[in-house]
Amino acid sequence: MAEWFRSEAWRLRWLPFLTAAAGVVAVFLLQEIPMLRRHALLLALLAGLGFFLPTVRHRLLILFAYGLGLYFIIKSVATWLDLPFGGLGMVERVLWLGLGALCILSALGMGRRRPPAWAAALLMVALGLYFANFTYVHYVQNNWLQVIAGVGLTGAAFWHAATVWVESETAPPDTA
């Protein structure tokens, strides 16, 4: 058992998945506390500071992909089943289920010893689709500041996905 806890599968697949599941449960429980809801962006930015540390960036990205995938899937399924924490529209419930699947596939790909380039590109495509939907929803509501932010985030996500994809196509094959 101790050998399994030291294994790569535990570190890169199971630990991030279990941590993400706990995080999603915490998000659903904590989003009802007004103080935390008001400062959710600040908390997310503080947690995101870890992405600037190269030693933990890859693990955080796997955790992020699992967490986002679980959140999207749970919200979509909860909406289909009319559970209280659902609340998505018709387009979002279908889109979020697909986005959740893309994020989980991305996390599984990034959980390999040598993660393929498509894993990060897939996560960026999922985020780009999410931000495109975000932009449209706020456009309909006439929230122009959110629309401007959404266009920038959509463009950045798709640009990053395209950059990763092109770099992986032009890179020499890995012979190791």
Side-chain angles (χ1 to χ4, degrees):
M1 185 65 131
E3 174 108 5
W4 188 73
F5 282 121
R6 287 189 295 253
S7 73
E8 194 168 281
W10 170 255
R11 279 187 306 113
L12 294 176
R13 288 195 185 109
W14 289 106
L15 185 61
F17 178 76
L18 294 173
T19 308
V24 169
V25 169
V27 164
F28 280 119
L29 294 175
L30 296 176
Q31 71 185 358
E32 299 304 320
I33 299 172
M35 176 65 81
L36 293 176
R37 192 177 325 131
R38 276 196 303 271
H39 300 294
L41 180 60
L42 177 62
L43 293 172
L45 289 173
L46 288 174
L49 287 177
F51 284 102
F52 292 104
L53 301 171
T55 56
V56 296
R57 181 180 302 137
H58 182 72
R59 291 185 197 126
L60 280 177
L61 197 57
I62 296 169
L63 178 67
F64 176 70
Y66 274 129
L68 202 57
L70 289 173
Y71 184 77
F72 283 149
I73 290 170
I74 289 170
K75 286 286 278 191
S76 177
V77 170
T79 301
W80 286 103
L81 298 176
D82 289 327
L83 295 175
F85 47 87
L88 298 175
M90 181 53 74
V91 173
E92 283 89 3
R93 71 177 71 175
V94 174
L95 177 67
W96 282 34
L97 188 62
L99 292 178
L102 291 177
C103 289
I104 296 292
L105 284 173
S106 172
L108 289 171
M110 286 187 283
R112 295 181 182 174
R113 174 179 292 196
R114 291 195 179 114
W118 62 262
L122 189 62
L123 180 62
M124 291 301 119
V125 167
L127 288 173
L129 291 171
Y130 169 77
F131 287 128
N133 180 60
F134 171 87
T135 303
Y136 177 73
V137 166
H138 285 287
Y139 170 75
V140 169
Q141 296 172 353
N142 207 21
N143 294 335
W144 287 101
L145 186 59
Q146 300 290 359
V147 169
I148 292 168
V151 167
L153 290 168
T154 302
F158 284 137
W159 179 263
H160 183 72
T163 303
V164 167
W165 189 264
V166 168
E167 285 176 359
S168 72
E169 292 294 318
T170 60
D174 188 16
T175 56

